Amino acid sequence: DCEAILERMVQNGCKIIISTSIDFQDAVVLAAQKHTNVYFFQATGTQERANLASYMGRMYQMRYLAGIVAGKQSHSGQIGYVTTEAIPEVIRGIDAFTLGVRKANPDAKVYVKYTGAWSNDDAAKKTTEALLAACPKIDVLSMHIDTNGVLDVAARRGIYAIGCNTDQHEKYPKIFLTAPVWNWSIFYKEYVHAALNNKFEGGNYVVGADTGIVALTPLRLPHDAEMDRMLSMEQNRLVNGEFDVFYGPIRDYEGQLRVGEGESLSDKTLFQELDWYVEGVVLQ
């Protein structure tokens, strides 16, 4: 129904339209071509026109920092990761998280299991239980999924957990470590203001740690000073632009060198093509 709904919005007088799912992109592109006097914003998109801006954040940077937390917190060196489907966004997150885990704990492994669904609570719980049954030494769980099912299992089992997109410390005070989160208001304030003043520039915007649009929620559970030191150092390097997560050397989980010394993955590869896992990932 997206195409018809966009047309209705335009007919109702909307001059700025924000689309918050990549699923809507094809319809948004058609609407932008048809209605050149309307400004369109497309979250996680890849298309651009004079009146269309696509935008995405380098959330993988925060998943890398969350991986450092998990690696430092784990005593067994076995960390679980429950997510949805093997698309570049998800694989990018798994890889960045694992690189962070192994920065803190070089011998640790990240055990990944897919649910096949973004917001199915029962599927998330069953997948988490199956992962823990297969890997009973897992003592930290992470997630990239739109349900609390993973956190519910973690709380019941007494396993530390890293959330996704929201700070759930108050709901899970005994096990919640941190979460990568978005603050899109920073982006919207600047670019909607530009649209309102006829200074809109269509483009494909990718924003990172230096903007505050991607962030990590505060650590509230007891942790050692070394974790704070490492997190602060790595975050500063990301913010300053002297380092990014996918700088080489990086090997895949079969030992093949994928990113050489002095090289890095391009944004095209990261955001559109990534289909391999880094060393330390174990698929369940």
Side-chain angles (χ1 to χ4, degrees), residues 30-275:
L30 291 174
Q33 292 171 344
K34 183 177 179 181
H35 302 288
T36 57
N37 62 331
V38 177
Y39 299 117
F40 293 88
F41 291 84
Q42 175 61 58
T44 71
T46 58
Q47 303 298 308
E48 57 185 272
R49 292 179 55 83
N51 62 327
L52 167 61
S54 297
Y55 53 98
M56 183 59 177
R58 298 187 188 278
M59 183 56 82
Y60 66 83
Q61 295 176 337
M62 298 302 112
R63 296 197 191 283
Y64 169 77
L65 296 179
I68 291 174
V69 173
K72 280 290 186 185
Q73 191 69 40
S74 175
H75 296 293
S76 69
Q78 296 191 13
I79 295 161
Y81 197 106
V82 177
T83 187
T84 56
E85 55 183 331
I87 59 176
E89 177 185 355
V90 170
I91 295 173
R92 185 170 69 243
I94 293 168
D95 285 351
F97 179 82
T98 304
L99 289 169
V101 165
R102 289 169 73 87
K103 174 74 174 180
N105 188 343
D107 296 323
K109 299 286 180 67
V110 176
Y111 296 84
V112 176
K113 194 167 182 64
Y114 287 102
T115 67
W118 280 96
S119 54
N120 185 317
D121 205 49
D122 287 340
K125 290 178 181 178
K126 289 177 181 177
T127 301
T128 306
E129 293 284 8
L131 179 60
L132 293 173
C135 310
K137 291 184 179 180
I138 286 174
D139 56 359
V140 179
L141 280 166
S142 189
M143 55 188 269
H144 184 178
I145 197 165
D146 297 327
T147 164
N148 285 342
V150 179
L151 297 176
D152 288 338
V153 173
R156 182 161 47 78
R157 295 284 202 99
I159 297 172
Y160 288 114
I162 291 170
C164 177
N165 293 341
T166 55
D167 189 343
Q168 299 269 33
H169 176 262
E170 289 190 4
K171 186 172 182 180
Y172 305 96
K174 295 181 179 180
I175 57 97
F176 192 86
L177 293 169
T178 186
V181 293
W182 298 97
N183 185 3
W184 280 118
S185 62
I186 297 171
F187 179 88
Y188 290 136
K189 183 176 181 179
E190 178 178 353
Y191 289 95
V192 172
H193 183 77
L196 292 170
N197 288 277
N198 296 316
K199 295 181 179 180
F200 179 94
E201 293 185 7
N204 194 355
Y205 300 96
V206 183
V207 297
D210 58 316
T211 65
I213 291 170
V214 291
L216 202 65
T217 63
L219 294 172
R220 294 192 178 92
L221 292 180
H223 57 280
D224 61 25
E226 173 62 17
M227 185 189 293
D228 283 335
R229 186 198 67 78
M230 184 175 286
L231 273 179
S232 178
M233 181 179 71
E234 293 303 293
Q235 184 157 13
N236 285 338
R237 292 209 299 156
L238 291 168
V239 169
N240 294 336
E242 62 186 87
F243 164 75
D244 202 7
V245 175
F246 291 94
Y247 284 5
I250 299 175
R251 295 185 179 274
D252 66 19
Y253 75 152
E254 295 179 329
Q256 179 182 347
L257 184 66
R258 292 287 192 143
V259 186
E261 181 78 38
E263 298 177 350
S264 64
L265 290 182
S266 68
D267 278 356
K268 182 181 180 184
T269 298
L270 279 177
F271 288 92
Q272 300 179 39
E273 300 170 349
L274 191 63
D275 62 357

